[in-house]
Amino acid sequence: MKKFMMTLMTVMIAIAANAQRYNVGSSRSNTDYFGTTTTTHSNRYGQTTGASTSSTDYFGTTTTTHRDRYGNTIGTSTSSTDYFGNTTTTHRDRYGNTTGSSRSNTDYFGTTRTDYYDSYGNSTGSSRSNTDYFGTTRTTHEDSYGNTWGSSSSSTDYFGTTNTEHYSNNSSDDIWSW
């Protein structure tokens, strides 16, 4: 039995070591003097795939407009945070139809969990984010069954630019526009 367990552990370590992680794109964000955050999304080849512009109003509601690589509006997201620190975001297409939503909260240990839903309220996945001592935020993305399919790593430089690298377990994935 001991020999079997050692063999099983060796196989599991070998599988984990051979697991591929593909860089599928990146995002770069800057916030201007007026508090507007602009994020540019690029695919794995460095080509721009889209952009997002976010601003927060007097009531704390953040509205984000998403555009494709040509500058056409493809959708919007509206986020608000309640008294308990839960952030709810509603996503809409260019016509104003709801396409999905997400809910985020941060626990006592600083881990932010976000749950994603389609337009019918069905779970489509989740993500967990943690920021380390050096200010790097690492996010793990899971499907609705709890399987990890990708991750992101973000850090902010001296000039206030936040750079995010997106990774996937599937080499055919590409960066989403928003």
Side-chain angles (χ1 to χ4, degrees):
M1 182 66 176
K2 184 176 180 182
K3 185 176 180 182
F4 170 76
M5 290 303 292
M6 291 300 291
T7 304
L8 181 60
M9 286 179 63
T10 303
V11 170
M12 290 174 65
I13 291 169
I15 290 171
N18 290 323
Q20 294 292 326
R21 189 172 81 136
Y22 303 93
N23 187 312
V24 294
S26 62
S27 303
R28 179 173 291 176
S29 301
N30 281 288
T31 302
D32 65 19
Y33 181 81
F34 302 100
T36 300
T37 300
T38 300
T39 303
T40 303
H41 307 288
S42 303
N43 62 20
R44 72 188 78 199
Y45 307 109
Q47 300 162 326
T48 299
T49 57
S52 306
T53 306
S54 302
S55 59
T56 303
D57 64 20
Y58 181 81
F59 302 100
T61 300
T62 300
T63 301
T64 305
T65 302
H66 308 284
R67 295 181 175 85
D68 63 18
R69 70 183 72 202
Y70 306 108
N72 302 309
T73 298
I74 57 175
T76 60
S77 300
T78 306
S79 301
S80 58
T81 302
D82 65 20
Y83 181 81
F84 302 100
N86 301 305
T87 300
T88 301
T89 303
T90 302
H91 306 287
R92 294 180 174 85
D93 63 18
R94 71 186 76 197
Y95 305 109
N97 302 309
T98 299
T99 58
S101 63
S102 60
R103 288 191 205 101
S104 303
N105 60 38
T106 303
D107 66 19
Y108 181 81
F109 302 100
T111 300
T112 299
R113 178 187 168 99
T114 304
D115 295 302
Y116 303 96
Y117 305 91
D118 63 18
S119 57
Y120 302 104
N122 302 309
S123 174
T124 58
S126 64
S127 63
R128 287 184 182 81
S129 301
N130 281 285
T131 302
D132 65 20
Y133 181 81
F134 302 101
T136 300
T137 300
R138 300 185 199 289
T139 304
T140 302
H141 306 287
E142 298 175 348
D143 63 20
S144 57
Y145 302 104
N147 302 308
T148 299
W149 62 265
S151 62
S152 304
S153 179
S154 303
S155 59
T156 302
D157 64 21
Y158 181 80
F159 302 101
T161 300
T162 300
N163 296 292
T164 305
E165 295 294 327
H166 304 284
Y167 303 92
S168 174
N169 299 341
N170 188 341
S171 63
S172 63
D173 282 348
D174 212 344
I175 181 65
W176 50 92
S177 294
W178 58 287

